[in-house]
Amino acid sequence: SVQTLIARKTAMSFWDSVTTGAQNAAETTKLVSIRTKLQAEVMYFEQQIKQIMQNFGVECFPHMEQSNSGLVQQAFLNAQRGIEEYRAKIEEKNREINELNQQIDNVGR
C-alpha cells in the first residue's frame, strides 16, 4: 500500500542520514587525530629551537668572556642553521594543519 511505501522510504531515509552522520563523524575524528599529531610535532620542533638557543648561550658565554668573537660567530651560525631547519619544518606542519582545518570544515558538505 501507499502508507507502507511511505513508511519504508522514511525509514530508509532516516537510516541513510544516520549512516551519513556516522561516516562524517568518523572522517572528522580521523582528520582531528592527524591534526593533533601535527600540532604535537610543531610543539616538539619549537622545543628543539628553544634547546638550540639555550645550548648556544651556554656554549658562547665562555667565549664572550674571553672576547673570542670568532668562536661566538661560528656557534651562532651553527645554531641559526639548526633553528632555520626547524622553522621550515614548523611552517610545513602549519600548512598541513591549515589544510586539515579546511577539510574538517568541509566534512559532510
Side-chain angles (χ1 to χ4, degrees):
S1 78
V2 171
Q3 286 180 327
T4 305
L5 285 173
I6 291 172
R8 221 181 254 161
K9 193 165 189 114
T10 302
M12 289 175 73
S13 175
F14 172 75
W15 183 248
D16 288 345
S17 71
V18 168
T19 302
T20 300
Q23 289 170 343
N24 290 345
E27 180 67 13
T28 300
T29 300
K30 180 184 92 171
L31 294 172
V32 168
S33 172
I34 294 168
R35 181 181 66 188
T36 301
K37 175 187 165 287
L38 292 171
Q39 289 169 332
E41 289 176 9
V42 168
M43 287 174 48
Y44 171 77
F45 294 150
E46 288 171 345
Q47 187 61 37
Q48 293 303 107
I49 288 172
K50 184 177 178 183
Q51 187 66 48
I52 289 171
M53 289 179 177
Q54 289 173 342
N55 290 344
F56 169 75
V58 170
E59 181 181 345
C60 285
F61 189 82
H63 299 309
M64 292 181 83
E65 282 183 317
Q66 298 170 7
S67 298
N68 192 338
S69 60
L71 289 176
V72 171
Q73 183 64 27
Q74 186 57 50
F76 171 76
L77 293 174
N78 291 339
Q80 184 181 38
R81 190 175 316 113
I83 289 170
E84 286 174 357
E85 288 174 14
Y86 282 115
R87 285 181 177 160
K89 290 178 182 182
I90 289 171
E91 200 174 300
E92 176 59 31
K93 297 299 177 185
N94 282 332
R95 271 196 297 276
E96 292 178 40
I97 289 168
N98 289 333
E99 290 171 13
L100 282 168
N101 285 336
Q102 289 176 347
Q103 290 177 31
I104 290 167
D105 289 344
N106 291 326
V107 168
R109 290 188 182 173

